[in-house]
Structures are given as structure tokens and as C-alpha cells.
Amino acid sequence: MHTLVLTKGVPDFREGQVSFDEDGHLERGKTPTVMNPNDKHALEAALQTKVRHGGTVSLMSMGPPGYKEVLQEGMADVYADDLYLLSDREMGAADTWATSITLSTGIDHLDDEPDIVFAGFKTADGETGHTGPQTCWCQDWPIVTHVVALDIDEEERTLRAKRLVEGDVEEIETVEAPLPCFVVADPEFEPTYRKADHRLRHKDLRAETQERAENFEDHLEVYDQEELNLDPDFIGLDGSPTIVAGVDPIPKAPSEREATMVDPGDEAGMASVFEELEPYAEAD
Amino acid sequence: MTDDYEHYEAVVVGAGPGGAAAAATLAQNGVETLVLERGVESGSKNVSGGLIYAEESAPYTIDGLFPNFRTEASERPVTEYYLHNVAGRKVKTIDLTDLHEHDTMWSDAVLRRHMDSWLEDRVHEVTRETGGGLLTGVRVDGLLREAGEIVGVTCEELDPIKADAIIAADGVNSELARDAGLMDWEDPEEWFQGVKAIVDMPEGAVAERFGVADDEGVAHLFSGDLFEGVRGGGFLYTNDDSLSIGTVFHLDSLVAEEAEPHELLDALLTHPLLDQWLQGEYEELEYGAKLVPDSKKAAHPSPHRGRLMLVGDAAGQMQAQGPIIKGMNHAVSAGALAAEAFSEAQTRDRPAEAGQRYETKLRDEGVMKKLRPTPYKIASAVGENDAVASMTDSLVDSSLGKLGIKAADRLGLLGRSFNSPFVMSVMPDTRTPYVTAPTAIAEALGTPVRAENDVEPPDLADRIGDLTYDVGDPHIELQDNSYEASGAAVAACPVSAKDFGGGCYRDETVKTNGHEEHLVSLDTQPCVECGTCAIVADTEWEHPAGGKGVEFKQG
Ligand SMILES: Cc1cc2nc3c(=O)[nH]c(=O)nc-3n(C[C@H](O)[C@H](O)[C@H](O)COP(=O)(O)OP(=O)(O)OC[C@H]3O[C@@H](n4cnc5c(N)ncnc54)[C@H](O)[C@@H]3O)c2cc1C
Ligand code: SF4
């Protein structure tokens, strides 16, 4: 079983990491790049597949050379075997459409066609959720989105997935799809390892990956424009039909509020609290 | 249905010394072995004194099974061994090095987190080669049965697993032994409760304060009147850069005296005698507790049923040889013998004979004789008879007794009898050897300690606060919350106390319709999983799920 995970580097939006200039623009140079948090679920789904069915996991990303470290992080997390970075100046400033075309070409370029491609559920910077489905569309494969649990029948070459229906957490449907297939893992995806054998293999993988992740560059291939032989009109800025008309910062909630401190022991004070609250109390 | 279940030739439950020895021996014999341990890491659930012994007469030793154990997994070897008889400030010290060295190849102090996690790596490596391996964070919660026969184990975190042999090395309060009906958790007289503090020592302080070289260590034992008359004693062992200071008491005595275990520990920690070693400084690294079975009463003579074999504490194989506590070494022997028994039975294509072979080996290798000495049975039948016990007790305490003590000391008899392994292993479980005699000895022969020991051990709230917990669902349920049924736990639980609201057990008076009820309530959050309330209170008692509950860093 060969699985491929599509992953992306995003600015680390966590407090203390992210940095904005005076106009509220993100300062890329001062903000570290990390793996898109939602891709973690795709990685877990791929790892579960590897643990249960063996085979290899590859990670692929399109982005600047700095994304190598993102791939390394992914390798350590998911015990991946190979890393692919699609990187070239020409590919820069791509929107989700141009990115999908590039990724799809990258997938076709692999020696060993993946049985499943896993994508995370939308990125923390773009928030579109387009790239996975569009890449799948380019491949002309089936796609199962919002996957929370996964089972694979290697002999029948099918997968059976439980997926959340339209954002309603309560509703789960089970679907079957032929391989190869695209799978978008939902943030609710939970890997399960209920066999001792699976946990032991998981442990083996962890032990053997440490060294690989340290020397990750030995397992990394960088595909540039020349290698992929992409039509310049379909990639990078030129290949991106999206036009960003403007960006409005989300106004911050006011930090000042009026407050009155009341000592719970102060009876008169507490009486006034109840008085204030009374209008809000539900009438019987 | 059960055909879908995973199958291993052997499943070992628990990765303490018993489980590690069993698994390593099984692997050596080419048996496909799966080891399941509930802690996040082996050792994270375990508390011991602990001096691990390698006995000359034992069929197996830990360093025999795991080369480099002593250099990599243990702390200091014990090169000196003393017993301090205490009466107030008066102390009479007896050198017990002879008793300690009897049948001893070596004996090292250990800290269980370090020791067991070291063993974990080795065990995983050798069992992995057989197609099995060691998994942590998995709690076995019962036996899998088919048509009434034990065929495997059930786990909280995994689907059921079938096995040709199941070795329960799950320690004291073994849920598997209980499930198989081999052990019950009824009688406080069959148990001790051990409580321990690990105390940090500045670099070089152990060598300086105890007068030992880097490759030497000391064991100090304490008995007499410093423990409110509770039967038992205290210990202090030197680690590389810390001290293990603790107490071990008969559980029935602790309950009868309504003593608070942490206060008894504090009585030892703050005794003037300890000033020479603590020197006014006290930083507690960890507080922990665990029950300890008393093999004389609890060791199961036939610790197997079907494919299940019990080893170590799970089978009650914990020997209190007077003040010397030997549990880990017997767990190692028993674990390896059970493994040997299964692999022989399997080779002969009669796996069902493993249990009987194991029982025979325990007897033939002399393990059972140490655990349940026949002379003890005779001596205790007489000595533990109430009338005889109180007569002996008052005799020792009388002026005639004290005269006798002085005479015995002059003749060298006192030191000789304390150093006699025979006398020590047949000593009756009465107040006399634990409290009255040591106190009388100290009064008759002791010298007063002049130093002041003003260290202040942390209170219970701080002790609990310093522990690491990953709190899961409550794992103990009170079946009967009346004070009569479960009130003993309020004092006996090592993280609860009568006047402390932040522990597990609380004493409550509830007024309903004009009449008052005396009840207890339970909150398992601060539980250190010692097992005490499984015996002294009316509870439905289980261990927490894999990886949940308290995590000891020292042990
Ligand atoms: C304060 C104190 C002082 C002591 N001093 C000494 C001493 O000086 N010398 C000495 O030799 N002995 C001493 N002992 C006794 C000694 O610690 C035990 O006899 C010894 O640890 C028994 O080893 P074992 O392998 O049988 O069990 P343990 O060491 O208790 O190991 C049992 C293992 O099983 C795991 N487990 C339990 N239930 C499950 C489950 N359901 N599923 C999966 N895993 C499970 C536990 O997490 C644990 O790792 C002392 C004990 C105490 C409390
Ligand atoms: S609640 Fe029970 S098992 Fe937990 S620490 Fe207290 S006595 Fe021990």
C-alpha cells in the first residue's frame, strides 16, 4: 500500500509566534513556518494505513525551499518513507487552482502511483479547502471527504470510510470507494489501534524513523519546473485566476470593559448584583 | 467469533521484575511473547523500598537474566546494614550486616522508574525477536474464557487476546489473580502497607554523610516506639544521589490503631537520629505507597489455574524475613520458573502441564520454603495465640525482661539472634518483635541522641500536589459508604487523613430527617493506587485505564 499525504507549510498563527506589522499585515520573515495543523489528521490516517497494511508513506508539498523542514516534521510524525517538494520560483504566488495542477503533475511524476492520497481539511492561512478536491479532480479519481474512520480491503482494492455528513457531527455515513482514491481526513478523525500487533508495528516504525528524520534530506526529492515540465501558463501567479480585491482586518474585540468588584461577603453589594441581574432572569 | 482474536504463545501481564524475568526467559526459549504493561512506561506505577537481592540459593537472579543490570539499572550496593532500636531519644544500634549477607551474592538499592524502564527496553528487544514485544499504556482488565476455560486476556485498550500461557505478573492487587479466584482481597492480616519518600541529596552528600565510597551504600532500619505502637518499622537506603526513606506496617495493625501512614513516616523523618544524615535540609522528590503481601500468610501454594500462572506479588510471593524485605528477587525467580515451566511443557506438546510444572519448580528450587517457612507455622501457632502474645510482650517489657536483655547483650546473644536468618524468618507477628522488644532493648542499652532534627516534611496537600497524574475515570467505587464498612480507609489511605479534605477518603456526618449518619466519601483523583482501600473498605476496586492515574518518576 502506497499512500501519499499532501501537506503545506503555514505561518505559525499561535500567540507569541505570529508577527504582524503596523498595518496588520503578516510579517512572513518574522513568523515561523509550521505544518498546516489540519494536515495532522491526514498524516494520522496515512500512518494508520501503514501500520495496518504495511507499505510506504510519502509526503508531498509545493512551496519554497523552507518547506523542507515542514516535510521533515511530517516525516518524524508519520514515520514517512519519502518526501517530495515541488519548488520553483515559477510556481510561486499560486492560488489553489494553480497549486492543484502542480500537485497533480507531481503525483503523476512519482515512480510508484499512490493507492490513496490523503489531504488535510483546509489550511490555516487560506481556509478554502479547495486544494485537495481540485487536485483529485485533476487526477480524475474518486474522493471521500470529512473522513473520521477508515478501513481498507487490499484484496478487493476498495476502501470503506465513515464520513461526517455536512458538518453535522451527529450524522455519520459509511461509503465505499475503489482505489486509487483521494481521502480528506476530518479534524474528528481518530486513528484506532486495537490490535497488539498494530501497536507493536507502530513502535517499530517510531524507532526506525528517528534516524531517517534526522537525515531527511537523503529521502527528499525536489521537483522543479524543468523536471515536471509544466506549462508556465497554468502555474504560479500566471496560472492563478483568483484575484484578491482587498483584505480587511477583523476588528478586535474591545479590551476595556466596565466592572464593579463586589465582595461576596458584602450583603448590600450582593443585593445590588441580584438587582442588576434580575431583568435577565427567565420569568417562570 | 473468538477465532478472529489475536493469538500469542505467551502473554505476560505486568512489566515489573516478575514480568521482565518471565518475558526474558520465554524469549530465550523462543516463545512468542507479548508483554502488556499499564503504565505509560514500565516503573511509572511501581513503588519499592527497595533493595533488590541476588540470593546464592536462588534459581535465577536479575543480573543473570539481564547483564549490566547492576551498572546500568541500580543505585548503590548495600555494604553496611544496621538496625536501630528506638525508645524516645534513646537508640541501640545493632549491626545486621551478617543477616543481610546471609545467602546474599549482592544487594543493590533501586529506584523503580529507572530500573523498570531499563528492563522495559531490554525485554522489548528480546521479545520482539520472537514476534511479540512489550506494550505500555495497556491495562489488562480480565481473563478471556471459552467454555469456562481461561484462554487469554481482555484489555481496555485492545481487542481480546488469546494465548497458550498467561503469566500474571501484575503485582499486588492482581486483578487477574482475583478474576481467577486464586487470591482474595479480604484479610488485612495478609498485607503490609509500604510508604516511602525519596529525599534529594546534594552532590557528594551521600558519601560524606554516610561515610561510604561511590560504590558503597548503607541500609538503616528502625523499630521501637516511634510509630505509635503500630507493628512494623522504618528503613533508609542510600541511592546514588538520594535517599529512600520509608515505613512498612502490618495493615491490620495500622487499621486497629487508626494510624495515619504519612504521620508515621514523618515521625521517622523528624526523629533526631536522622539529623546526622539530613542535616537540616529536606527536599522530598516523591511520596508514594503500595501494599505488600506477606508471603507467610498470602503466598498461594498452587499459584496457577489452567493456562494462567501467577508470579511475584500477584501470587503473594513477598517474603518479610524479619526486617529484611524480599519481594523483587522472588518475583524474578518465580517469573523465570513459570517461563521455564511453560517452555518445557510446550516442547513436550503438553502446554496444559505448565502450571503444575511451575508449582513443582517453586517447591524443588526452594522458593516456596522461603516464602512459607514451616517453622513459622509452628512458631506463629504458639506465638500469635493472644494469651501467649500478651504474656511474651509483658515479659519482655518487665524489669526481668530488661535484665535478660542486658545479659543477652553481654553474652553477644542479642546481635546473634538478630543476625539469625532462622530466628528472623519465624518471628511471630505480634507487638513483641516490632515494638516492645526494640523499645525495651533501647531503654536498657540505648544511648540518647542529642542532635535536634528540625526538618519539615511537606504536608499531604503538597505531597499530592507534587505528584503527576493523568486523571481518568474513577477506578474505585464505594460499595458501602457507611463509616462502619469503609471508614478505616480515611486514616489508612496514605493520601487521606481525618482532618484533610483534599485526599481520596473523607469522613462525613450527614443529617437527614433529624438523625445523623456517619459516612465516607471518595474522590479517586489524588489516588496513588496503593491498594489499601481494596482490603480495608467495601469497594469495587480496579486499576485505572492504561496510562491513566498517578505516574511515579522515582518509584
Ligand atoms: C515501600 C515498599 C518497600 C519495599 N521494599 C522492598 C525491598 O527492599 N526489597 C524487595 O525485594 N522488595 C521490596 N518491596 C516489595 C517489592 O516492591 C515487590 O515485591 C515487587 O515489586 C514485586 O514485583 P512484581 O514483578 O511481582 O510486581 P510489581 O513490581 O508490582 O509489577 C507489577 C507490574 O504490573 C503492572 N500491572 C498491574 N496491573 C496491570 C494490569 N491489569 N495490566 C497491565 N499491567 C498491570 C504494574 O504497572 C507493574 O508494572 C517493597 C514494597 C514496598 C511498597
Ligand atoms: S484511594 Fe485506595 S488505592 Fe488510592 S491511595 Fe487511597 S487507599 Fe490507596
Side-chain angles (χ1 to χ4, degrees), chain A residues 194-208:
Chain A
R194 291 208 46 98
K195 295 232 175 299
D197 183 47
H198 292 162
R199 291 200 183 200
L200 290 167
R201 268 199 255 172
H202 194 285
K203 208 167 154 173
D204 289 346
L205 292 176
R206 185 165 59 220
E208 72 175 49

Side-chain angles (χ1 to χ4, degrees), chain B residues 14 17-18 37-38 46 48-51 112 140 169-170 312-313 325 327-328:
Chain B
E37 161 60 45
R38 70 187 178 96
N46 303 340
S48 200
L51 301 183
R112 292 295 298 275
V140 173
D170 49 343
D313 276 11
I325 296 177
M328 291 184 275

